[in-house]
Amino acid sequence: MSEALNRDYLICEEIGRGRFGTVFRCTSRSTGDSFAVKSIDKSLTSGDSLDAQCLLMEPKILHLLSPHPHIIQLYNLYEDEAHLHMVIDLCSGEDLHNLIIANGVIPEAEARLLFTQLMRAVSHCHKCGVVHRDIKPDNILLESRNTVKLADFGSAEVVMDGEMMNGVVGTPYYVAPEVLLGREYGEKVDVWSAGVVLYIMLAGFPPFYGETALEIFEAVLRGNLRFPVTTFQGVSPTVKDLLRRMLCKDVSKRFSAEQVLRHPWITNEESGAGSS
């Protein structure tokens, strides 16, 4: 651990582990406040690789997006020979993936509350020129049962004035079809991924399924969106309409993040969705 990091923070137990590093709980030695520190092992990425570039970009992107009530905040950054250490929000809850696993499905009213916060975060990213590119339940942290924060910007890209991106980035169930087709793509890939998240919250399973990554990709490319009666009989027609507009293969017809926030399913009952 960095000497400066140890001087400023007491490093506590490990609370998470990812492909490039480990997350610990830590406490500020000056205030006693609790945070998380994400320690990235620089040896796991080669200097010129896309992974290395993304890891170096993540703190810059978090700084660009802060502060926002539904995006993880970066407080301090430390670097030593072996690691990059990012001091970020400590979310006392788990992540959305664990909530779905524990509950099977999330009631529609609660799903609206959490999803509205997610889309506010996505809309803010897009206004700042940031495309997350890996929106999935694992990267949506629960600060409490009623508050989410979008996290893990390790795959994010900064784009300027409608600039397009390329490269297959993301997680099989959540990746947009235009990414899989090898085409240039824009910020609406995040809307597709968020649509998959919403579907899973309501159904307990993904809209496009396969036993292998290849089968999942084939299902995504077919884009045959269905609402099985046994699962969706208690779900409102309005949210199904929103899902069709988000999980639309035709990018020109797919909603933007701002259009999602203006959809009747979000606006009609927004009284419970917080004012942030």
Side-chain angles (χ1 to χ4, degrees), residues 78-221:
Y78 301 87
E79 187 170 6
D80 54 40
E81 285 188 11
H83 292 86
L84 187 67
H85 307 281
M86 295 190 293
V87 179
I88 55 177
D89 284 316
L90 174 69
C91 288
S92 53
E94 297 186 86
D95 58 42
L96 187 59
H97 174 77
N98 291 327
L99 183 65
I100 294 167
I101 293 294
N103 291 270
V105 296
I106 296 175
E108 189 170 338
E110 185 179 353
R112 180 190 288 109
L113 170 69
L114 301 177
F115 183 74
T116 300
Q117 295 174 16
L118 170 63
M119 290 312 301
R120 285 180 177 145
V122 173
S123 176
H124 179 69
C125 289
H126 292 177
K127 286 174 183 172
C128 294
V130 173
V131 184
H132 188 282
R133 299 203 297 177
D134 196 19
I135 292 174
K136 57 183 178 180
D138 317 55
N139 291 337
I140 301 165
L141 305 183
L142 294 163
E143 188 174 45
S144 68
R145 180 65 187 253
N146 297 319
T147 309
V148 300
K149 286 184 183 268
L150 182 58
D152 200 343
F153 286 77
S155 298
E157 183 87 44
V158 179
V159 293
M160 312 304 287
D161 301 324
E163 184 184 356
M164 302 295 274
M165 297 160 284
N166 50 50
V168 179
V169 177
T171 302
Y173 284 120
Y174 307 93
V175 70
E178 61 268 29
V179 176
L180 296 176
L181 288 168
R183 298 173 181 163
E184 289 193 321
Y185 54 85
E187 63 186 25
K188 285 186 180 179
V189 296
D190 285 348
V191 175
W192 176 281
S193 301
V196 176
V197 170
L198 177 57
Y199 188 103
I200 292 174
M201 289 168 75
L202 297 169
F205 53 83
F208 311 110
Y209 180 76
E211 294 289 345
T212 65
L214 181 60
E215 288 180 7
I216 296 166
F217 292 156
E218 288 171 347
V220 169
L221 290 171

Side-chain angles (χ1 to χ4, degrees), residues 14 27 66 78 103 129 165 171 203 218 244 259 262-263 271:
E14 179 182 322
T27 305
S66 292
Y78 301 87
N103 291 270
M165 297 160 284
T171 302
E218 288 171 347
R244 289 187 189 98
Q259 286 175 304
R262 293 196 298 267
H263 188 273
S271 58

Side-chain angles (χ1 to χ4, degrees), residues 19-20 40-56:
R19 192 157 56 112
F20 296 117
I40 297 163
D41 186 344
K42 294 194 290 189
S43 70
L44 297 178
T45 62
S46 55
D48 296 324
S49 72
L50 180 62
D51 287 330
Q53 291 169 31
C54 287
L55 289 173
L56 292 173

Side-chain angles (χ1 to χ4, degrees), residues 58-77:
E58 185 174 13
K60 294 176 184 176
I61 286 171
L62 287 176
H63 181 73
L64 175 66
L65 295 173
S66 292
H68 188 277
H70 303 302
I71 295 175
I72 211 81
Q73 186 165 344
L74 175 68
Y75 295 95
N76 275 304
L77 184 67

